[in-house]
Short mmCIF file of all heavy atoms in Angstrom, two decimals:
data_model
loop_
_atom_site.label_atom_id
_atom_site.label_comp_id
_atom_site.label_asym_id
_atom_site.label_seq_id
_atom_site.Cartn_x
_atom_site.Cartn_y
_atom_site.Cartn_z
N VAL A 236 -6.10 18.54 -0.57
CA VAL A 236 -6.41 18.19 -1.97
C VAL A 236 -5.71 16.93 -2.36
O VAL A 236 -4.54 16.74 -2.04
CB VAL A 236 -5.92 19.35 -2.90
CG1 VAL A 236 -6.23 18.99 -4.36
CG2 VAL A 236 -6.62 20.63 -2.53
N THR A 237 -6.44 16.02 -3.01
CA THR A 237 -5.81 14.80 -3.52
C THR A 237 -6.18 14.61 -4.97
O THR A 237 -7.29 14.88 -5.36
CB THR A 237 -6.18 13.57 -2.64
OG1 THR A 237 -5.31 12.50 -2.97
CG2 THR A 237 -7.61 13.12 -2.85
N PRO A 238 -5.25 14.18 -5.80
CA PRO A 238 -5.52 13.99 -7.23
C PRO A 238 -6.59 12.90 -7.46
O PRO A 238 -6.59 11.86 -6.79
CB PRO A 238 -4.19 13.59 -7.85
CG PRO A 238 -3.15 14.08 -6.89
CD PRO A 238 -3.80 13.93 -5.51
N LYS A 239 -7.43 13.17 -8.49
CA LYS A 239 -8.41 12.21 -8.92
C LYS A 239 -8.01 11.75 -10.33
O LYS A 239 -7.72 12.60 -11.17
CB LYS A 239 -9.76 12.89 -8.94
CG LYS A 239 -10.97 11.99 -9.24
CD LYS A 239 -12.21 12.86 -9.33
CE LYS A 239 -13.41 12.04 -9.73
NZ LYS A 239 -14.21 11.64 -8.58
N SER A 240 -7.98 10.45 -10.55
CA SER A 240 -7.65 9.93 -11.88
C SER A 240 -8.03 8.45 -11.88
O SER A 240 -7.97 7.78 -10.84
CB SER A 240 -6.16 10.08 -12.11
OG SER A 240 -5.69 9.07 -12.99
N ASN A 241 -8.40 7.95 -13.04
CA ASN A 241 -8.77 6.50 -13.13
C ASN A 241 -7.55 5.61 -13.13
O ASN A 241 -7.70 4.39 -13.07
CB ASN A 241 -9.55 6.28 -14.41
CG ASN A 241 -10.94 6.90 -14.33
OD1 ASN A 241 -11.45 7.08 -13.25
ND2 ASN A 241 -11.49 7.24 -15.51
N SER A 242 -6.36 6.24 -13.25
CA SER A 242 -5.17 5.35 -13.26
C SER A 242 -4.36 5.45 -11.99
O SER A 242 -3.22 5.00 -11.94
CB SER A 242 -4.30 5.67 -14.49
OG SER A 242 -4.21 7.02 -14.72
N ILE A 243 -4.94 6.00 -10.91
CA ILE A 243 -4.29 6.01 -9.59
C ILE A 243 -4.79 4.81 -8.80
O ILE A 243 -5.99 4.44 -8.85
CB ILE A 243 -4.64 7.31 -8.82
CG1 ILE A 243 -3.95 8.50 -9.47
CG2 ILE A 243 -4.26 7.19 -7.37
CD1 ILE A 243 -4.31 9.85 -8.85
N LEU A 244 -3.88 4.19 -8.03
CA LEU A 244 -4.27 3.07 -7.18
C LEU A 244 -5.00 3.65 -5.94
O LEU A 244 -4.46 4.53 -5.26
CB LEU A 244 -3.00 2.33 -6.72
CG LEU A 244 -3.11 0.97 -6.04
CD1 LEU A 244 -3.48 1.06 -4.58
CD2 LEU A 244 -4.02 -0.01 -6.74
N PRO A 245 -6.24 3.22 -5.67
CA PRO A 245 -6.98 3.82 -4.57
C PRO A 245 -6.41 3.40 -3.20
O PRO A 245 -6.81 2.39 -2.64
CB PRO A 245 -8.40 3.29 -4.76
CG PRO A 245 -8.28 2.12 -5.65
CD PRO A 245 -7.04 2.23 -6.47
N SER A 246 -5.52 4.20 -2.69
CA SER A 246 -4.86 3.93 -1.40
C SER A 246 -5.88 3.98 -0.26
O SER A 246 -6.64 4.92 -0.14
CB SER A 246 -3.77 4.98 -1.18
OG SER A 246 -3.47 5.13 0.20
N ILE A 247 -5.82 2.97 0.56
CA ILE A 247 -6.72 2.90 1.74
C ILE A 247 -6.28 3.96 2.75
O ILE A 247 -7.11 4.60 3.42
CB ILE A 247 -6.69 1.48 2.34
CG1 ILE A 247 -7.28 0.51 1.34
CG2 ILE A 247 -7.41 1.45 3.68
CD1 ILE A 247 -7.01 -0.96 1.61
N THR A 248 -5.01 4.21 2.86
CA THR A 248 -4.49 5.25 3.75
C THR A 248 -4.98 6.62 3.32
O THR A 248 -5.48 7.40 4.10
CB THR A 248 -2.96 5.21 3.76
OG1 THR A 248 -2.51 3.88 3.85
CG2 THR A 248 -2.36 6.04 4.89
N ARG A 249 -4.87 6.88 2.02
CA ARG A 249 -5.32 8.21 1.52
C ARG A 249 -6.77 8.37 1.71
O ARG A 249 -7.26 9.44 2.15
CB ARG A 249 -4.91 8.34 0.03
CG ARG A 249 -5.21 9.68 -0.58
CD ARG A 249 -6.46 9.67 -1.44
NE ARG A 249 -6.42 8.69 -2.52
CZ ARG A 249 -7.45 8.29 -3.23
NH1 ARG A 249 -8.66 8.74 -2.94
NH2 ARG A 249 -7.31 7.40 -4.16
N ARG A 250 -7.58 7.34 1.39
CA ARG A 250 -9.03 7.49 1.58
C ARG A 250 -9.38 7.69 3.04
O ARG A 250 -10.26 8.46 3.37
CB ARG A 250 -9.73 6.20 1.02
CG ARG A 250 -9.74 6.18 -0.50
CD ARG A 250 -10.51 4.95 -1.02
NE ARG A 250 -9.65 3.75 -1.08
CZ ARG A 250 -10.11 2.52 -1.17
NH1 ARG A 250 -11.42 2.24 -1.18
NH2 ARG A 250 -9.28 1.49 -1.29
N SER A 251 -8.64 7.03 3.93
CA SER A 251 -8.90 7.20 5.37
C SER A 251 -8.49 8.61 5.86
O SER A 251 -9.20 9.24 6.63
CB SER A 251 -8.12 6.17 6.17
OG SER A 251 -8.46 4.85 5.73
N LEU A 252 -7.36 9.09 5.32
CA LEU A 252 -6.91 10.43 5.69
C LEU A 252 -7.92 11.50 5.24
O LEU A 252 -8.11 12.53 5.92
CB LEU A 252 -5.54 10.72 5.10
CG LEU A 252 -4.39 9.99 5.77
CD1 LEU A 252 -3.14 9.98 4.90
CD2 LEU A 252 -4.07 10.65 7.13
N MET A 253 -8.55 11.30 4.06
CA MET A 253 -9.48 12.29 3.61
C MET A 253 -10.75 12.30 4.52
O MET A 253 -11.32 13.37 4.76
CB MET A 253 -9.92 11.98 2.15
CG MET A 253 -8.80 12.13 1.13
SD MET A 253 -8.12 13.81 1.05
CE MET A 253 -9.24 14.59 -0.09
N VAL A 254 -11.11 11.15 5.05
CA VAL A 254 -12.23 11.08 6.03
C VAL A 254 -11.84 11.78 7.31
O VAL A 254 -12.58 12.55 7.90
CB VAL A 254 -12.64 9.61 6.29
CG1 VAL A 254 -13.67 9.54 7.41
CG2 VAL A 254 -13.16 8.97 5.01
N VAL A 255 -10.60 11.51 7.75
CA VAL A 255 -10.07 12.13 8.99
C VAL A 255 -10.07 13.67 8.80
O VAL A 255 -10.54 14.41 9.68
CB VAL A 255 -8.64 11.63 9.32
CG1 VAL A 255 -7.96 12.50 10.31
CG2 VAL A 255 -8.73 10.19 9.82
N ALA A 256 -9.61 14.11 7.66
CA ALA A 256 -9.50 15.55 7.41
C ALA A 256 -10.88 16.20 7.47
O ALA A 256 -11.09 17.20 8.16
CB ALA A 256 -8.89 15.80 6.04
N LYS A 257 -11.86 15.57 6.83
CA LYS A 257 -13.17 16.16 6.70
C LYS A 257 -14.02 15.99 8.00
O LYS A 257 -14.49 16.95 8.57
CB LYS A 257 -13.92 15.53 5.53
CG LYS A 257 -15.28 16.08 5.21
CD LYS A 257 -15.71 15.54 3.84
CE LYS A 257 -17.13 15.93 3.51
NZ LYS A 257 -18.14 15.10 4.25
N ASP A 258 -14.10 14.73 8.45
CA ASP A 258 -15.08 14.44 9.50
C ASP A 258 -14.53 14.63 10.90
O ASP A 258 -15.27 14.83 11.84
CB ASP A 258 -15.62 13.01 9.38
CG ASP A 258 -16.39 12.82 8.09
OD1 ASP A 258 -16.77 13.82 7.47
OD2 ASP A 258 -16.62 11.69 7.70
N ILE A 259 -13.23 14.50 11.04
CA ILE A 259 -12.65 14.61 12.42
C ILE A 259 -12.00 15.96 12.60
O ILE A 259 -12.17 16.64 13.63
CB ILE A 259 -11.69 13.44 12.69
CG1 ILE A 259 -12.47 12.15 12.60
CG2 ILE A 259 -11.04 13.61 14.06
CD1 ILE A 259 -11.68 10.88 12.88
N LEU A 260 -11.23 16.39 11.61
CA LEU A 260 -10.52 17.70 11.78
C LEU A 260 -11.31 18.88 11.22
O LEU A 260 -10.90 20.01 11.40
CB LEU A 260 -9.12 17.60 11.09
CG LEU A 260 -8.20 16.51 11.68
CD1 LEU A 260 -6.88 16.45 10.92
CD2 LEU A 260 -7.97 16.72 13.18
N GLY A 261 -12.43 18.58 10.53
CA GLY A 261 -13.26 19.64 10.00
C GLY A 261 -12.60 20.48 8.91
O GLY A 261 -12.94 21.66 8.75
N LEU A 262 -11.70 19.89 8.16
CA LEU A 262 -11.01 20.62 7.09
C LEU A 262 -11.78 20.46 5.82
O LEU A 262 -12.56 19.50 5.64
CB LEU A 262 -9.61 20.03 6.86
CG LEU A 262 -8.66 20.14 8.08
CD1 LEU A 262 -7.40 19.34 7.79
CD2 LEU A 262 -8.31 21.60 8.41
N GLU A 263 -11.62 21.41 4.91
CA GLU A 263 -12.20 21.28 3.57
C GLU A 263 -11.35 20.29 2.76
O GLU A 263 -10.14 20.32 2.86
CB GLU A 263 -12.17 22.63 2.90
CG GLU A 263 -13.51 23.09 2.36
CD GLU A 263 -13.42 24.42 1.67
OE1 GLU A 263 -13.23 25.42 2.33
OE2 GLU A 263 -13.52 24.41 0.41
N VAL A 264 -11.97 19.38 2.09
CA VAL A 264 -11.26 18.39 1.25
C VAL A 264 -11.72 18.39 -0.19
O VAL A 264 -12.89 18.68 -0.46
CB VAL A 264 -11.39 16.97 1.82
CG1 VAL A 264 -10.85 16.84 3.22
CG2 VAL A 264 -12.85 16.49 1.79
N GLU A 265 -10.81 18.16 -1.10
CA GLU A 265 -11.15 18.07 -2.53
C GLU A 265 -10.41 16.90 -3.15
O GLU A 265 -9.20 16.81 -3.02
CB GLU A 265 -10.68 19.33 -3.25
CG GLU A 265 -11.60 20.49 -3.11
CD GLU A 265 -11.06 21.74 -3.83
OE1 GLU A 265 -9.96 21.70 -4.40
OE2 GLU A 265 -11.80 22.76 -3.85
N GLU A 266 -11.16 16.03 -3.81
CA GLU A 266 -10.56 15.03 -4.67
C GLU A 266 -10.84 15.46 -6.13
O GLU A 266 -12.02 15.45 -6.57
CB GLU A 266 -11.15 13.64 -4.42
CG GLU A 266 -10.40 12.55 -5.23
CD GLU A 266 -10.93 11.13 -4.95
OE1 GLU A 266 -11.79 10.97 -4.09
OE2 GLU A 266 -10.42 10.23 -5.64
N ARG A 267 -9.84 15.91 -6.81
CA ARG A 267 -10.05 16.46 -8.16
C ARG A 267 -8.75 16.35 -8.94
O ARG A 267 -7.69 16.03 -8.44
CB ARG A 267 -10.43 17.96 -7.99
CG ARG A 267 -9.36 18.79 -7.28
CD ARG A 267 -9.59 20.27 -7.50
NE ARG A 267 -8.73 21.13 -6.68
CZ ARG A 267 -7.50 21.52 -7.03
NH1 ARG A 267 -6.94 21.07 -8.15
NH2 ARG A 267 -6.81 22.32 -6.24
N GLU A 268 -8.85 16.65 -10.27
CA GLU A 268 -7.66 16.67 -11.06
C GLU A 268 -6.71 17.75 -10.53
O GLU A 268 -7.14 18.87 -10.22
CB GLU A 268 -7.97 16.98 -12.51
CG GLU A 268 -8.72 15.80 -13.16
CD GLU A 268 -8.97 16.03 -14.66
OE1 GLU A 268 -9.10 17.22 -15.09
OE2 GLU A 268 -9.02 15.03 -15.37
N VAL A 269 -5.45 17.42 -10.39
CA VAL A 269 -4.45 18.39 -9.89
C VAL A 269 -3.44 18.60 -11.01
O VAL A 269 -2.71 17.64 -11.40
CB VAL A 269 -3.75 17.88 -8.63
CG1 VAL A 269 -2.63 18.82 -8.23
CG2 VAL A 269 -4.75 17.76 -7.48
N TYR A 270 -3.37 19.79 -11.54
CA TYR A 270 -2.38 20.12 -12.60
C TYR A 270 -1.01 20.34 -11.99
O TYR A 270 -0.88 20.92 -10.91
CB TYR A 270 -2.85 21.34 -13.42
CG TYR A 270 -3.95 20.92 -14.36
CD1 TYR A 270 -5.29 20.97 -13.91
CD2 TYR A 270 -3.66 20.48 -15.64
CE1 TYR A 270 -6.30 20.52 -14.76
CE2 TYR A 270 -4.68 20.06 -16.47
CZ TYR A 270 -5.98 20.08 -16.05
OH TYR A 270 -6.97 19.65 -16.89
N PHE A 271 0.00 19.84 -12.66
CA PHE A 271 1.34 20.01 -12.12
C PHE A 271 1.68 21.48 -11.94
O PHE A 271 2.35 21.89 -10.98
CB PHE A 271 2.42 19.34 -13.03
CG PHE A 271 3.78 19.50 -12.46
CD1 PHE A 271 4.15 18.84 -11.28
CD2 PHE A 271 4.70 20.34 -13.07
CE1 PHE A 271 5.39 19.00 -10.73
CE2 PHE A 271 5.95 20.52 -12.51
CZ PHE A 271 6.31 19.86 -11.35
#
Side-chain angles (χ1 to χ4, degrees):
V236 179
T237 193
K239 185 185 176 98
S240 152
N241 292 334
S242 43
I243 290 176
L244 192 282
S246 157
I247 295 165
T248 314
R249 185 258 301 165
R250 286 182 275 164
S251 304
L252 285 164
M253 293 301 274
V254 174
V255 165
K257 182 166 174 285
D258 295 346
I259 299 182
L260 300 178
L262 300 171
E263 232 182 289
V264 299
E265 277 179 358
E266 184 178 357
R267 59 164 172 86
E268 289 186 331
V269 173
Y270 284 87
F271 181 69

